[in-house]
Amino acid sequence: ARDAAASASGRPAVDETADKLDSLMELTFGHLSRRLDAGDGDALWAGLCGAFERAILPTHRSKFTQFLVFFVAAARPGAAGRAFVELLLARLGDGLQPPITRCACA
């Protein structure tokens, strides 16, 4: 059973998956940096907020992808951070939102 979980390199499959996910996050941070440097901050922020609200926020135990939103918000202090907090507070106080979403906003 242990052999089935290990890769050809002798490392557990979990480590390889984590490495792949880390690499994808690194590539994504690079892409976001290039978009920000190119002056696409407003469009980038709008897209990320929409994706965050639709896909990341309602996902139980999401641990890492929200850092993409935090990264862009940190690069655009002021309005982006305020808009993000307002989004979270609005969803937290919305009784029509599923409990998992409201809990994630807290």
Side-chain angles (χ1 to χ4, degrees):
R2 180 170 165 78
D3 291 335
S7 68
S9 66
R11 293 177 61 201
V14 171
D15 287 346
E16 284 187 26
T17 301
D19 288 344
K20 288 178 187 178
L21 291 173
D22 286 347
S23 294
L24 287 171
M25 288 291 285
E26 191 172 326
L27 287 170
T28 305
F29 282 124
H31 172 74
L32 295 175
S33 292
R34 287 188 299 278
R35 295 271 315 265
L36 288 165
D37 291 344
D40 292 338
D42 290 341
L44 183 60
W45 180 249
L48 277 175
C49 277
F52 178 83
E53 188 172 7
R54 285 187 315 274
I56 299 169
L57 194 55
T59 301
H60 181 61
R61 294 179 55 143
S62 176
K63 295 181 182 179
F64 305 108
T65 52
Q66 64 268 28
F67 286 99
L68 301 173
V69 176
F70 301 158
F71 177 79
V72 175
R76 305 181 72 239
R82 186 171 40 258
F84 186 62
V85 170
E86 288 172 357
L87 168 74
L88 293 175
L89 289 174
R91 298 306 170 265
L92 179 62
D94 182 354
L96 298 176
Q97 294 292 321
I100 191 167
T101 299
R102 294 178 70 202
C103 188
C105 290

